[in-house]
Amino acid sequence: MALMGLFLLFTLYIISLHDKEGSLSPMAKTFFLHYMAKFLLLGDLTEKEAASGDGEAGLTGGELAWPKRANRVAPADDVVVTDVETPAAVSETTRQPTRLEAALEEQTSCLRNLIRMAEEQVMKNEQQVSDYTLLTQVLDRLCLVLYVISLAVAVPMTMYLGK
């Protein structure tokens, strides 16, 4: 019970640190966010802080991953069309890709608008991660590890002392 109360007090202090403004000293940042975070299997949080400064890396800015061909009537790369004989056949085949092209352009513009709106929403909702927020993650994990270790030591000790 005493261990639970002690670690509850530690947790209350850690929660009060979470929204603190400012930055840690370089020595505390190195010890807690680099070495202690690696020891507690959280990784190097000093690198995460630097990498997350420009936003999430999931959205591509509205650019498509495939190249846009200007002439959709022309066949794909390295394909030779030899069986087109009459201009009527050519005009009939060019009508359908033109409608498909218009539909594709409409869909890509809708996709670009959706991506732009999603990026704006992410930027609006993105919170700046401070050093103290990262410190609280490390301290919270440290308290969990220490609590489990102290329980693993306390249970056999009470069994031994209870004889």
Side-chain angles (χ1 to χ4, degrees), residues 13 18 93:
Y13 179 69
H18 186 271
T93 58

Side-chain angles (χ1 to χ4, degrees), residues 48-77:
K48 281 188 182 178
E49 177 190 5
S52 66
D54 58 349
E56 295 294 322
L59 301 175
T60 62
E63 294 300 320
L64 298 175
W66 60 85
K68 180 181 174 187
R69 288 189 355 215
N71 187 2
R72 298 280 177 180
V73 176
D77 300 332

Side-chain angles (χ1 to χ4, degrees), residues 44-57 126 129 134:
D44 189 3
L45 293 179
T46 56
E47 290 178 2
K48 281 188 182 178
E49 177 190 5
S52 66
D54 58 349
E56 295 294 322
E126 183 177 286
V129 178
L134 297 173

Side-chain angles (χ1 to χ4, degrees), residues 4-24:
M4 190 181 295
L6 180 69
F7 282 100
L8 182 66
L9 290 176
F10 288 157
T11 304
L12 287 173
Y13 179 69
I14 291 170
I15 289 171
S16 70
L17 277 178
H18 186 271
D19 290 327
K20 191 171 180 183
E21 296 292 327
S23 111
L24 290 171

Side-chain angles (χ1 to χ4, degrees), residues 62 107-120:
Q107 293 295 322
T108 54
S109 67
C110 288
L111 275 173
R112 285 189 182 124
N113 288 337
L114 284 173
I115 290 172
R116 182 182 47 78
M117 289 176 10
E119 284 177 341
E120 290 172 0

